[in-house]
Amino acid sequence: GGGGGGGGGSTGVTGVRVLHASVDSVPVDVLSSSASAAVVSQAKFAIASGYSALGSGTQVLSLTKAFNPTQVFDSFSVDYASGERYSILLYGDHRAFGVGAALIKDLVPADISGSAVRVVDGVTGAQALSVTVNGASAGAVGFGEAGEYVMVPAGQVTVAAARSSDGKAAASSVINAQPGKAYTLLAAGEIGYYSKGVLFTDN
């Protein structure tokens, strides 16, 4: 699997977004109990997007099948404050592993020296991914989880993730990292079938 460079979409810089990593799942919406319409509409597999705005206060965010609010993948209660960022990860498959969802609070570092990057493991068939940045080890991340941000110099940065058990490639991206910016590389799909890296810009 591989992935392109550049940044993700930029519809917004705070609120909620979807990291859609499940290769055989339909597009999804995010509904808020405090909103009259979908907060996120038709998030598709391996498509990067920015954040969608949320109203402040306690609310329930539901990840549903697009245009079908009765088919709920999962729901999460949040007490949203202005300026916060959340990602909802959809991962797994409809066969052996099942489909799961996870709420990730995107805690972008306040003081970024150069740029920052992390990996989210949404790729089916990898219980853990080993991450390298510019060829150097940058730790590991578990299935359905987000890794810690790693500080990198601004400029061209190569991030790669491989299955920890056997080193099989899962995702990679060459990032044109901008000063002060943070990025998420989502490992999406299924190892041995189709996997890729999807780059999101976090701030």
Side-chain angles (χ1 to χ4, degrees), residues 6-10 12-13 51 85 108-118 149-155 157 175-184 199-203:
S10 56
V13 294
Y51 293 93
R85 302 174 177 91
V108 174
D111 297 311
I112 298 177
S113 175
S115 303
V117 64
R118 69 174 181 179
Y149 282 101
V150 176
M151 298 297 174
V152 297
V157 178
I175 306 170
N176 182 20
Q178 300 299 308
K181 288 292 186 178
Y183 303 92
T184 290
L199 187 66
F200 293 76
T201 302
D202 298 345
N203 64 350

Side-chain angles (χ1 to χ4, degrees), residues 6-21 28-32 38-44 47-54 59 61-64 74 76 78 80 84-91 101-109 116-121 145-147 149 181-187 198-203:
S10 56
T11 57
V13 294
T14 62
V16 65
R17 66 185 179 186
V18 173
L19 310 182
H20 192 324
V28 295
D29 294 340
V30 176
L31 308 179
S32 169
V39 176
V40 178
S41 182
Q42 295 190 70
K44 299 177 177 65
I47 300 296
S49 64
Y51 293 93
S52 295
L54 287 175
Q59 57 198 286
L61 301 178
S62 297
L63 185 69
T64 73
D74 210 340
F76 308 94
V78 301
Y80 184 76
E84 290 182 331
R85 302 174 177 91
Y86 288 91
S87 293
I88 298 177
L89 171 65
L90 180 68
Y91 63 102
L103 181 70
I104 299 167
K105 190 169 185 179
D106 298 331
L107 298 173
V108 174
V117 64
R118 69 174 181 179
V119 169
V120 172
D121 181 2
E145 297 178 353
Y149 282 101
K181 288 292 186 178
Y183 303 92
T184 290
L185 178 65
L186 171 66
V198 187
L199 187 66
F200 293 76
T201 302
D202 298 345
N203 64 350

